[in-house]
Amino acid sequence: MPVLRLVLGDQLTRHVSCLNGWQEGDVVLMAEVRSEASYVKHHKKKIVFLFSAMRHFAEQLRGEGIDVRYRRYTDPDNQGSLLGEVKAAIKEHEFDAVILTEPGEYRLMDEMQDWSDALDLPVHIRPDDRFIATHDDFSGWAEGRKQYRMEFFYREMRKKTGLLMTQDGDPEGGQWNYDKENRKPPKDGLNPPPQPNFARDETTEEVIDLVMAEFPDHFGDVEPFNMAVTAKQAEAALTHFIDRCLPWFGDYQDAMVADQPFMYHSLISAYINAGLLDPLHACERVAEAYENGHAPLNAVEGFIRQIIGWREFVRGLYWYKMPEYAALNALDAQAPLPEFYWTGETDMACLADAVGQTKTYAYAHHIQRLMVLGNFALLLGVHPDEINEWFLVVYADAYEWVELPNVHGMAIFADGGILG
């Protein structure tokens, strides 16, 4: 008997675990549903990106001869939820089981625990093996520690992957971390290259029209929309970063410059988090740039640390501490979020600039997010729920597993120092 394989909107890779072992007769289910598009009012550009990427990925699978059941947002029979779409698929076909890869957010994982009873069918939730550290890996590392320091976890990830490690097992260059060399002030005359510009096809244009019609009151601008929506385009974005930005990324990754929203940043986090780019592959390509003499060690180590260090660390901490983590409010912050976080209308120049960029691009780099937008919320005493929801709404790369620890712990100290 065949099985139904559910692919979520942030799992857009042929190597996702729920597709492993696919056999003739199996059906892949993908769905654009209201419950996921609107549990917070996601940035319009994020919805365009994900719906277009989902549709392109479905066509990729069909090109391999895989039977894909794809439900579009405006289809008359759209059930409005993932469970509803699974039920509808099961009514039309007989399946032995449902197979899915664990979702990235606790709220959805919690819902899925009851799916087997609701469907009267086995539901197999497979680990998300796109990450380097499993949940057990992180738990084993964290157990018994009084403090969770990313630096020490990062060193374990370096050893596990072999990235920037010598044959003797030492860190390349004799140091694990070159963060002190990643804070140079910008020089006059810096001229960062423009971001990659990917042409929009008919699929993307259709999704843009959909989002403008169905989500008019959501935050943010759709235009300009030039994001990658396929794995091939995402790979091209990575190549652009390595070729044109990586050599200067390390020196200026913490710099903010007026009218330079992107500086030398990679702009690939949305692609990695949605599955269009494999994080380890990206790190390996960047490491090759160092080995070939194209980029200095402080740039390459800084990039790799963000991926296999920080990204893996916050994901591990999220699952290790949820759901209690989200309810923490160590400073008893109670203030409402200021309206200018939505409008950008404030005389405070850095805040106005960061909000304006966010509205236009669904992007701001980590210093703008942490040191400007997050730090002001900390100083003002904004309630954690309000600032966490804002960060989840406004960025194309935002999912709770990565947003919550960064904001709750790193930016506003709502976790009382668990993260750092």
Side-chain angles (χ1 to χ4, degrees), residues 295-348:
L297 185 55
N298 72 317
V300 171
E301 187 278 322
F303 177 89
I304 289 174
R305 178 173 7 105
Q306 289 186 5
I307 304 295
I308 70 167
W310 195 252
R311 183 175 185 269
E312 294 280 336
F313 178 73
V314 297
R315 188 252 186 174
L317 188 73
Y318 173 81
W319 286 108
Y320 187 61
K321 289 294 184 179
M322 283 295 281
E324 294 81 10
Y325 190 78
L328 297 175
N329 187 357
L331 300 181
D332 193 28
Q334 299 296 332
L337 186 72
E339 182 64 20
F340 63 71
Y341 270 74
W342 300 108
T343 66
E345 297 175 1
T346 172
D347 291 335
M348 291 178 282

Side-chain angles (χ1 to χ4, degrees), residues 192-196 237-252 262-267 294-295 299:
Q195 64 173 325
L238 174 61
T239 297
H240 175 277
F241 166 67
I242 292 171
D243 290 349
R244 303 194 61 186
C245 299
L246 179 60
W248 299 273
F249 167 73
D251 287 351
Y252 303 118
F262 309 115
M263 291 296 288
Y264 298 97
H265 290 270
S266 67
L267 312 182
H294 174 67

Side-chain angles (χ1 to χ4, degrees), residues 172-185 246-255 290 296-303 305:
E172 190 69 40
Q175 295 178 215
W176 291 101
N177 187 316
Y178 290 85
D179 188 47
K180 291 181 180 179
E181 298 180 26
N182 296 153
R183 306 171 187 171
K184 294 184 180 180
L246 179 60
W248 299 273
F249 167 73
D251 287 351
Y252 303 118
Q253 67 169 290
D254 283 3
Y290 168 71
L297 185 55
N298 72 317
V300 171
E301 187 278 322
F303 177 89
R305 178 173 7 105

Side-chain angles (χ1 to χ4, degrees), residues 31-252:
E32 305 163 1
V33 294
R34 180 170 298 277
S35 62
E36 293 305 301
S38 298
Y39 71 92
V40 296
K41 288 188 172 182
H42 302 287
H43 196 297
K44 294 187 187 77
K45 199 181 297 279
K46 180 180 182 180
I47 301 176
V48 173
F49 162 61
L50 286 175
F51 280 9
S52 180
M54 288 170 66
R55 294 184 184 190
H56 282 93
F57 184 64
E59 287 307 306
Q60 175 190 328
L61 294 179
R62 288 179 177 133
E64 297 181 28
I66 294 175
D67 185 1
V68 179
R69 176 190 175 97
Y70 194 96
R71 182 75 80 187
R72 295 192 172 197
Y73 192 84
T74 54
D75 286 347
D77 295 329
N78 192 305
Q79 301 298 303
S81 70
L82 292 171
L83 179 58
E85 287 301 328
V86 171
K87 286 181 177 178
I90 290 171
K91 282 184 179 180
E92 294 184 17
H93 300 277
E94 289 189 18
F95 295 105
D96 268 348
V98 176
I99 296 176
L100 56 94
T101 296
E102 62 180 357
E105 298 192 344
Y106 181 87
R107 60 170 184 89
L108 196 51
M109 186 67 160
D110 192 45
E111 291 176 18
M112 289 176 170
Q113 302 303 314
D114 298 325
W115 276 21
S116 185
D117 291 337
L119 299 170
D120 194 26
L121 202 65
V123 175
H124 303 296
I125 303 177
R126 294 178 173 176
D128 189 345
D129 55 13
R130 295 175 296 167
F131 290 87
I132 297 163
T134 66
H135 297 315
D136 287 343
D137 287 341
F138 189 87
S139 297
W141 174 83
E143 198 67 37
R145 291 177 182 263
K146 293 182 179 180
Q147 284 189 318
Y148 311 118
R149 293 284 299 277
M150 186 280 291
E151 175 64 24
F152 300 129
F153 176 78
Y154 166 55
R155 294 177 186 183
E156 296 303 313
M157 295 299 98
R158 285 273 294 275
K159 294 172 185 176
K160 183 173 182 177
T161 61
L163 288 164
L164 298 182
M165 299 295 292
T166 69
Q167 291 184 346
D168 295 330
D170 298 320
E172 190 69 40
Q175 295 178 215
W176 291 101
N177 187 316
Y178 290 85
D179 188 47
K180 291 181 180 179
E181 298 180 26
N182 296 153
R183 306 171 187 171
K184 294 184 180 180
K187 298 178 180 179
D188 291 338
L190 279 180
N191 187 28
Q195 64 173 325
N197 193 348
F198 296 100
R200 289 148 39 163
D201 61 9
E202 183 178 346
T203 297
T204 298
E205 294 290 357
E206 288 177 355
V207 172
I208 289 173
D209 291 342
L210 164 71
V211 169
M212 295 303 293
E214 297 291 335
F215 305 94
D217 62 337
H218 281 222
F219 175 80
D221 305 326
V222 168
E223 302 292 353
F225 187 87
N226 53 11
M227 295 180 71
V229 292
T230 66
K232 183 177 180 179
Q233 290 177 339
E235 187 73 21
L238 174 61
T239 297
H240 175 277
F241 166 67
I242 292 171
D243 290 349
R244 303 194 61 186
C245 299
L246 179 60
W248 299 273
F249 167 73
D251 287 351
Y252 303 118

